[in-house]
């Protein structure tokens, strides 16, 4: 394997000092335009790649953000990641992205990778296993090494850092109230994410909305999406249901399918509302009414918070940003007369 071209190699080829090459590649006005162009052409012809590690040691900044997300296949996290990338690029930062795949061990390994100086700060959404076990010791290392961190969506008060969330309790309260206001009186809650903070808060919001209307709750907790068909089918045969609040987008799509498979019309027999405004929601049959979480805005705000923290613009106490949501009404719910 051929060795990498160094600044010294470029300096020898250009007949200038290493300092001149470095300044030229960084567009320093100290170097004349003609010389800068010539050195850049030589660097390009030699396939020169800057040594970012050496550069970061000198500047004490990598201009890189580490991101840890639980899953990439869920559209919510894809949209958040898109927002992160847009804002990071705008602010001159690169990304290193790791997937925890909902495992605490993989999340911890990602943190270990980042705190060695490869990034300036971290953006993280907690893995399901981390929240279920309430195991946050690996995150204590982040503050120990003075690496700024922003948590989004799945967060915990047990870790001292900035956060970006929606008000999951209030959003679920509003979603449940929306169904009740549109005529549903027997509203179930399908929850495949009861082990994580957002699922718990959404369940609490659902319960409060029913309590305020003297309606009886019916909670269908499942450990995995593949249980929804069996458990919901059994419940539909045993209980009267005319509305369903689902804790996320995928469970809402499955709920629509199960209801229709069992001979129910959506929304005339059973109205359904979910979370996250993704492509599945828009193109399901019928199209899904959702609480839009503005995932892209969550990603952008996380980057803004992190960079503001890096630049010393925030107070010492953690900042908690709440992204406003709204309901997008589609065909899975009844229209008001």
């Amino acid at each position: 394997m051929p060795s990498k071209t160094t600044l010294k190699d470029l300096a020898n080829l250009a007949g200038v000092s290493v300092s001149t090459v470095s300044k030229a590649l960084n567009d320093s006005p100290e170097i004349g335009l003609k010389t800068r162009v010539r050195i850049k052409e030589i660097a390009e012809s030699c396939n020169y790649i800057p040594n970012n590690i050496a550069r970061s040691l000198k500047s004490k900044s990598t201009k890189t953000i580490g991101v840890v997300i639980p899953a990439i296949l869920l559209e919510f996290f894809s949209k958040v990641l898109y927002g992160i990338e847009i804002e990071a690029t705008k602010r001159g930062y690169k990304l290193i992205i790791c997937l925890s795949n909902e495992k605490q061990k993989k999340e911890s390994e990602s943190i270990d990778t980042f705190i060695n100086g490869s990034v300036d700060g971290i953006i993280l959404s907690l893995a399901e296993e981390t929240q279920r076990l309430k195991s946050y010791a690996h995150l204590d290392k982040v503050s120990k090494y003075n690496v700024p961190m922003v948590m989004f969506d799945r967060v915990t008060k047990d870790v001292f850092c900035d956060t970006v969330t929606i008000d999951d309790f209030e959003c679920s309260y509003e979603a449940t109230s929306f169904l009740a206001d549109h005529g549903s009186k027997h509203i179930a809650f399908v929850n495949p994410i009861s082990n994580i903070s957002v699922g718990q808060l959404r369940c609490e919001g659902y319960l409060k909305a029913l309590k305020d209307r003297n309606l009886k709750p019916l909670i269908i907790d499942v450990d995995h999406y593949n249980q929804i068909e069996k458990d919901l089918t059994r419940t539909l045969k045993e209980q009267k249901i005319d509305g369903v609040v689902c804790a996320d987008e995928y469970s809402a799509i499955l709920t629509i399918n199960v209801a229709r498979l069992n001979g129910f019309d959506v929304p005339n027999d059973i109205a359904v509302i979910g979370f996250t405004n993704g492509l599945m929601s828009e193109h399901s049959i019928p199209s899904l009414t959702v609480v839009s979480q503005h995932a892209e805005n969550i990603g952008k705000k996380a980057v803004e918070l992190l960079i503001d923290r890096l630049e010393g613009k925030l107070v010492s106490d953690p900042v908690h940003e709440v992204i406003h949501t709204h309901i997008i009404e589609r065909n899975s719910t009844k229209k008001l007369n």
Side-chain angles (χ1 to χ4, degrees):
M1 182 180 292
S3 59
K4 292 182 178 179
T5 302
T6 65
L7 284 176
K8 187 175 180 180
D9 294 331
L10 296 180
N12 290 334
L13 290 170
V16 297
S17 67
V18 171
S19 175
T20 297
V21 171
S22 178
K23 290 178 180 179
L25 294 177
N26 286 286
D27 284 318
S28 171
E30 296 179 36
I31 309 301
L33 178 59
K34 185 176 180 180
T35 302
R36 275 185 276 161
V37 170
R38 182 168 68 89
I39 290 173
K40 287 181 179 180
E41 288 175 347
I42 294 172
E44 185 176 354
S45 68
C46 295
N47 296 315
Y48 171 72
I49 300 174
N51 187 334
N52 288 324
I53 295 177
R55 181 183 294 176
S56 67
L57 288 172
K58 184 177 180 180
S59 66
K60 297 184 180 180
S61 173
T62 65
K63 300 295 284 186
T64 302
I65 295 171
V67 182
V68 188
I69 57 175
I72 196 63
L73 295 180
L74 296 178
E75 189 162 355
F76 170 76
F77 289 112
S78 298
K79 286 191 168 186
V80 171
L81 191 57
Y82 177 74
I84 290 173
E85 197 280 330
I86 291 293
E87 189 62 25
T89 300
K90 177 182 172 184
R91 304 285 289 265
Y93 280 77
K94 301 181 292 296
L95 302 178
I96 299 177
I97 302 165
C98 293
L99 298 179
S100 68
N101 286 329
E102 305 289 11
K103 301 297 182 183
Q104 189 268 343
K105 185 174 184 292
K106 291 202 69 175
E107 183 177 272
S108 179
E109 289 171 349
S110 299
I111 294 298
D112 287 342
T113 298
F114 291 150
I115 62 176
N116 68 3
S118 59
V119 302
D120 294 338
I122 298 170
I123 295 175
L124 166 75
S125 185
L126 291 168
E128 182 273 334
E129 187 176 53
T130 300
Q131 290 205 305
R132 175 166 49 83
L133 298 175
K134 300 186 185 303
S135 175
Y136 307 117
H138 60 294
L139 299 175
D140 292 337
K141 292 181 284 187
V142 177
S143 57
K144 179 181 177 182
Y145 284 87
N146 294 316
V147 179
M149 180 169 68
V150 176
M151 283 190 189
F152 73 90
D153 189 53
R154 306 179 188 180
V155 304
T156 175
K157 295 179 180 178
D158 295 330
V159 177
F160 192 81
C161 70
D162 302 315
T163 59
V164 183
T165 66
I166 63 170
D167 188 334
D168 289 286
F169 176 93
E170 184 64 26
C171 292
S172 187
Y173 183 96
E174 292 177 357
T176 307
S177 300
F178 180 89
L179 292 188
D181 292 343
H182 285 65
S184 296
K185 301 300 179 186
H186 306 277
I187 304 172
F189 185 73
V190 174
N191 192 4
I193 53 173
S194 59
N195 285 325
I196 63 176
S197 55
V198 295
Q200 294 159 7
L201 288 168
R202 290 171 190 176
C203 185
E204 292 171 11
Y206 157 81
L207 290 172
K208 182 63 166 61
L210 293 190
K211 182 179 179 180
D212 288 350
R213 289 163 176 76
N214 294 316
L215 299 177
K216 292 183 179 181
L218 176 58
I219 299 173
I220 304 172
D221 281 336
V222 294
D223 294 327
H224 196 276
Y225 294 104
N226 58 20
Q227 291 178 240
I228 291 177
E229 181 174 359
K230 178 182 177 182
D231 290 5
L232 182 56
T233 295
R234 182 181 65 249
T235 306
L236 287 170
K237 292 177 180 178
E238 297 173 351
Q239 305 274 354
K240 177 173 177 55
I241 297 175
D242 59 8
V244 183
V245 178
C246 298
D248 65 3
E249 180 184 43
Y250 194 40
S251 61
I253 301 299
L254 291 174
T255 294
I256 289 176
N257 292 342
V258 172
R260 296 179 71 197
L261 284 171
N262 282 273
F264 293 94
D265 180 273
V266 178
N268 293 315
D269 297 327
I270 300 176
V272 180
I273 189 169
F275 284 76
T276 302
N277 183 32
L279 287 174
M280 287 194 301
S281 299
E282 189 174 354
H283 297 290
S284 66
I285 301 176
S287 56
L288 178 66
T289 294
V290 295
V291 176
S292 178
Q293 296 171 255
H294 302 290
E296 185 179 324
N297 291 343
I298 291 176
K300 290 180 178 179
K301 179 54 68 174
V303 174
E304 289 177 10
L305 262 186
L306 183 61
I307 295 176
D308 284 348
R309 179 66 67 188
L310 287 167
E311 294 178 351
K313 296 179 180 179
L314 302 179
V315 296
S316 58
D317 291 337
V319 175
H320 306 292
E321 289 282 354
V322 178
I323 303 298
H324 295 293
T325 63
H326 73 283
I327 292 175
I328 297 177
E329 187 173 359
R330 296 199 179 102
N331 295 327
S332 68
T333 52
K334 301 172 186 176
K335 308 296 181 184
L336 281 175
N337 293 328

